[in-house]
Structure formats: structure tokens, C-alpha cells
Amino acid sequence: MSNATLVALPPNLATNAASPEWLNKADNAWQLIAATLVGLQSVPGLIILYGGAVKKKWAVNSAFMALYAFACVLVCWVCWGYRLSFGSELIPVWGKVNVALNQKYLLEQAFSGMFPNATMVFFQFVFAAITLILIAGALLGRMNFYAWMLFVPLWMTFSYTVGAFTIWSLNGWLATMGIIDYSGGYVIHLSSGVAGFTAAYWFKYCLDASQLLLIQVGPRLTKDRERFPPNNIILMLAGAGLLWMGWTGFNGGDPYVASIDASLAVLNTHVCAATSLLTWLILDVAFFGKASVIGAVQGMITGLVCITPAAGVVQGWAAIIMGVCSGSIPWFTMMVVHKKSELLQKVDDTMAVFHTHAVAGSLGGLLTGLFAQPHLNYLFYGKTVHYVGLFYGFHTGRVGAGFRQVGIQCLGIVFVVVLNVVVTSLVCLLVQLVVPLRMSEEDMEIGDEAAHGEEAYAIWGQGDRLENSRYSTYNEMEAPSKPTSSQVEMNCTKSVLGKYLGIQ
């Protein structure tokens, strides 16, 4: 571009050190907005949804697991996770370890799109974070918080980055084969559903004198599992609403450009979610005689998950069909198959993540293989070699390409399932060697007070907490009959800090 041309450009379009020639300001702005929308799905979306959907005594712990995961993933992501997922190839399923922190790298153009690496790093981070938060949904109500603190960075490093590189990186094994995962049906939802189910199953390997014993994590306390009413359905609906609206950025941001394909992806996303919600609602009314708001939320989520791998590569009528399927098939697996399956009954998946994410995610991947439209795939991928849905393969005479696409979609499901069963099991084993995965029975009886010394709705009289709360670290604690030296030291430290900060 000549100097004369630069001078002729309006000031808002002229390039400079902060706006290089390759930067598209509109795309960069949309990408940052889309990333923020996805971030809001987690913080505060799933924090509110989990906090309202669980029993009152688990509200704080459930919300805190989500908040911790969001923060922990970000630090791990910029230090090594992003380059493992989208950096230079080490092997066909994994990138090379490197940081995404230095100025030179962050201000360069991203591997795709007309915006800097800094924008891409943030955009991809919010996807990694929500994956871990979805896994937490299967473990609420009994996982040791300290075990969760170790689980998050380990699983993100050894499972999520492998799936992301294999399916999303330009050099990934399945990406080069032509798998279609528009926005994370495989990388995020199938992964989190399988990993959550696996983590809920395995507890530890215990080396006995004579044999290696396999012990399961087991369900929540019997009374919790038999009766686990939401402590605040309105709050849960607020979180669900943030999740639904945030999906505009979830699927609309993945073309990496403010394009017509992004617009189609957004519309398809909401059409499928609404259709799925209505389908689930109709089935609830037809078979149980009541319109359940919790069921409606489940139907909404399965619709959003199902359309995710296909959002911008299928037509509107296909989004309707996918909504009907996502509102009925996961409903059937949850309401019928689950009650008849010994394995599913044994594993206590608190938020039914297996059905809403693993089943719905794999369903979406398979339906993508049927409905993916070649021209829409060209708009997204910029290629015409692969990416032909089976129905369009019959219509255009490319039947072989259509069957090939379905085969690749199935291969992707197998890969993600095997990866997450193996890695999640190994991570649980490793964590168990350091800290118990399961809370003690006494702590599970009490819940938030035992885990964090805090309650979600601890209001008495004029808003004061119970003065005799024996678990709170911010109120007077019951003095043990024989305090240990470490307890004496801790109490002294708290006293000094309290006087220094003016806290009585």
C-alpha cells in the first residue's frame, strides 16, 4: 500500500502502529464482544445457574467451583495451554509448549482472522474455561474442593489441549481429515460430558497388600440424591438466560469474522434452542402431566449443545430438525434409558451433564454429518474438498464424500470419548495420591459451612450470621479443648491481621 493511498484514507481507516494493515477493526471488535459473551456464560452465568439449581447447603460450593475454574484456566492458558492447543505442531494431536505472554507474539496476527493473537488467546480461553465448569456440574455435592483445585489445571493441560489441537488447530489430525466441529460440539460438550461422567465414577486406586482395589466415587449422600431441590429456581433461570444469550458469542464468534456466516450461526443457534425447549416441554406434559421449568432448561441446553458443531454450516430447516432431535433423544436417554441402566444409575451425575452434553454433543456431531451444506462449509472453511453432508452428497452426486463425512464425524466421537475416559481416569488417580477426591461424610452432611465456612443465605434477624457458626473463618470459632500448635499460630495470625485491618 503506497503512502499516497494511506494519505487518501479516512483517519478511522488509515493504518498506523496500533492499527496495522492486516487488522480489521470491525472483526476485532466483534471477536472481543463474542469472547466476553462466552465469558459471561460462565461468570456469572453458570455460577448463578449452579448456585440456584443445587440444594441450599451446596450453593456456595457449587458456585465457587465454577469461579475457581474460570480463574485457574486463564492463568494456565496464557502460560502453556493456548500454545499447546493452537501453537506449532509437536505431534498430530498436540502443540509445542510455549507461553502466550510476550508483547511481540500477542500483537502479531492470529493464525486465522484479521485480529491479533491477544484477541484469539482471550477468545479461546473462555471456551476452555467453560469446559471445566461444565465438568464441575457432574461432581457437585461431594467432590473435595482441594481435589478440584488440582483437577482443573491437570485436565485442561492433558485433555482439553489435545482435543482442541486435534480438531481445531490447522495442523490437527482430525482437522486435516475434514471433521466439522463449528464451535465445540466435540471439543467442549462431548469432552465435558464424558469427562464429568468418568470423574463421577472413578474415585481412587488403593494398593492393598494382596491386590489392586478399584473404588468408586459413589453418589452424593442418599438423602441428597433422593431429594435435591433447587434452592432458588428464579436464580437458576437467570443463569440459564445468561447461558442462552451468551451462546450468540459462542457460535457467532467462531467464523473469526463479522460475516454473513456468523449471522446465520447466531440465528440457527437460537432457533434450535427454542425448538428443543418446546419439544422437551411437550414430552414432559405428555408423559408426566406437568410443565417443568427445570425440564425446559434442560431442553434449552441440549438444543444449544446440539447445534454447536453445525451452527453456521446448516440451513434453518435443519436447525429445526436438530432442535426436535435434541429435545427428544436426550429426553429419552435421561427419562427412560437412565432409569433402566445399571451403570447410569450407579454414577451420580449431579447436573445430568452426560445427557445434556455428551449425548447432545455427539448427536449434534452426527447430524452435522447429515445436514452440512457444501456452500455454507465453503463460507466457513474456504475449501470445497471435504465438508459435504450425506444428504447433500446424495443431492449433488457426491455420495462417497457424504459417507466419508459421516465416518469422520463418528471417528471424532470415538477419539474424544477414548481420550477423556483415559485422561480423566489418570488425572483422578494422580489427584487421589495427593488429596482425597471425595469430601468426608461429616462435611457432606453440612455442606457449604464445612467446606468454606460460608452460607449462601445466612440471614437471621437484621442480616447477622449465626454467632455460633463453628465452621466460619470470619466469625468466632469454637475453641477446641486442646488446640494444636498450628491452630494457635493461625488464631494469633488472624488476631493480628484483624487488628491491623480494623476487623473485630
Side-chain angles (χ1 to χ4, degrees):
M1 185 177 290
S2 66
N3 291 331
T5 305
L6 289 176
V7 173
L9 289 172
N12 64 313
L13 296 179
T15 61
N16 53 48
S19 297
E21 294 184 9
W22 50 260
L23 178 68
N24 185 304
K25 294 181 180 180
D27 292 346
N28 192 38
W30 166 239
Q31 213 62 35
L32 289 170
I33 291 170
T36 303
L37 287 171
V38 179
L40 288 171
Q41 290 182 290
S42 297
V43 180
L46 284 170
I47 287 178
I48 295 175
L49 192 152
Y50 286 174
V54 298
K55 207 170 186 177
K56 176 182 175 293
K57 70 175 183 177
W58 291 115
V60 172
N61 180 258
S62 301
F64 197 10
M65 287 178 72
L67 181 65
Y68 165 78
F70 194 83
C72 181
V73 170
L74 177 54
V75 175
C76 297
W77 191 248
V78 295
C79 289
W80 64 82
Y82 177 77
R83 300 293 283 272
L84 284 174
S85 302
F86 298 97
S88 303
E89 178 183 345
L90 176 65
I91 55 177
V93 297
W94 220 13
K96 295 179 180 178
V97 178
N98 209 333
V99 299
L101 289 168
N102 62 78
Q103 170 185 308
K104 183 179 184 301
Y105 177 78
L106 292 176
L107 299 185
E108 292 176 348
Q109 185 174 4
F111 68 87
S112 183
M114 290 181 280
F115 46 79
N117 277 322
T119 299
M120 183 65 84
V121 170
F122 179 57
F123 181 75
Q124 296 296 344
F125 146 67
V126 290
F127 285 87
I130 199 171
T131 307
L132 268 300
I133 295 172
L134 292 174
I135 293 173
L139 309 172
L140 302 180
R142 79 274 200 191
M143 188 172 191
N144 184 348
F145 188 80
Y146 302 107
W148 177 243
M149 291 178 69
L150 295 176
F151 180 92
V152 169
L154 289 171
W155 190 90
M156 191 279 293
T157 301
F158 296 105
S159 181
Y160 184 85
T161 60
V162 174
F165 187 91
T166 304
I167 294 174
W168 279 345
S169 173
L170 299 179
N171 299 317
W173 169 53
L174 289 173
T176 55
M177 289 185 67
I179 192 171
I180 302 174
D181 186 13
Y182 189 90
S183 196
Y186 289 93
V187 178
I188 297 171
H189 299 295
L190 179 57
S191 293
S192 61
V194 174
F197 186 83
T198 304
Y201 182 84
W202 299 115
F203 178 48
K204 65 181 179 180
Y205 287 94
C206 180
L207 188 61
D208 192 33
S210 59
Q211 61 181 339
L212 193 66
L213 299 177
L214 182 63
I215 303 177
Q216 298 165 353
V217 67
R220 289 159 287 172
L221 294 177
T222 301
K223 65 178 182 180
D224 280 353
R225 196 174 184 191
E226 291 177 348
R227 178 168 171 74
F228 204 71
N231 70 86
N232 194 321
I233 289 183
I234 301 302
L235 199 64
M236 181 192 75
L237 285 174
L242 284 168
L243 195 65
W244 187 347
M245 291 300 102
W247 229 283
T248 293
F250 201 103
N251 289 345
D254 268 295
Y256 303 146
V257 57
S259 65
I260 57 175
D261 191 46
S263 299
L264 177 66
V266 170
L267 182 60
N268 281 343
T269 296
H270 296 294
V271 167
C272 184
T275 305
S276 182
L277 184 154
L278 295 176
T279 302
W280 195 293
L281 182 61
I282 291 170
L283 290 172
D284 273 352
V285 172
F287 287 90
F288 303 121
K290 286 189 180 295
S292 167
V293 67
I294 297 176
V297 170
Q298 299 282 38
M300 176 204 80
I301 293 173
T302 56
L304 292 168
V305 170
C306 184
I307 195 62
T308 292
V313 297
V314 298
Q315 298 193 54
W317 59 264
I320 291 283
I321 295 174
M322 293 180 74
V324 172
C325 292
S326 62
S328 56
I329 295 176
W331 182 93
F332 180 76
T333 64
M334 185 185 299
M335 301 300 179
V336 180
V337 176
H338 186 99
K339 295 177 181 179
K340 296 182 178 180
S341 169
E342 183 177 343
L343 174 62
L344 294 177
Q345 284 287 311
K346 180 183 294 185
V347 179
D348 182 16
D349 179 357
T350 308
M351 300 297 291
V353 176
F354 176 79
H355 300 285
T356 57
H357 294 275
V359 174
S362 56
L363 174 64
L366 291 175
L367 293 175
T368 302
L370 299 179
F371 297 132
Q373 210 267 1
H375 176 67
L376 296 176
N377 276 287
Y378 174 74
L379 294 179
F380 182 60
Y381 291 104
K383 302 176 183 178
T384 58
V385 178
H386 304 307
Y387 314 110
V388 179
L390 180 59
F391 289 170
Y392 290 94
F394 281 109
H395 182 68
T396 61
R398 299 180 63 188
V399 179
F403 276 111
R404 180 184 184 278
Q405 190 65 59
V406 173
I408 294 174
Q409 300 300 112
C410 293
L411 178 61
I413 292 173
V414 173
F415 173 80
V416 172
V417 169
V418 172
L419 169 69
N420 283 281
V421 168
V422 173
V423 174
T424 306
S425 298
L426 292 175
V427 168
C428 287
L429 168 61
L430 183 59
V431 171
Q432 176 62 34
L433 297 176
V434 179
V435 61
L437 286 170
R438 184 179 175 87
M439 296 175 68
S440 68
E441 297 292 315
E442 179 184 5
D443 285 354
M444 285 193 291
E445 285 281 354
I446 299 164
D448 290 338
E449 275 276 326
H452 306 291
E454 297 162 326
E455 290 186 54
Y457 311 107
I459 299 175
W460 287 269
Q462 298 301 313
D464 298 327
R465 292 176 52 88
L466 275 178
E467 294 182 358
N468 64 346
S469 172
R470 56 177 292 211
Y471 293 97
S472 176
T473 55
Y474 294 95
N475 292 276
E476 294 295 328
M477 298 179 66
E478 289 184 358
S481 56
K482 293 183 179 181
T484 63
S485 59
S486 62
Q487 289 173 324
V488 171
E489 182 179 351
M490 181 182 295
N491 289 335
C492 290
T493 302
K494 287 181 180 179
S495 177
V496 172
L497 286 174
K499 291 179 181 179
Y500 178 77
L501 296 173
I503 300 173
Q504 300 299 324

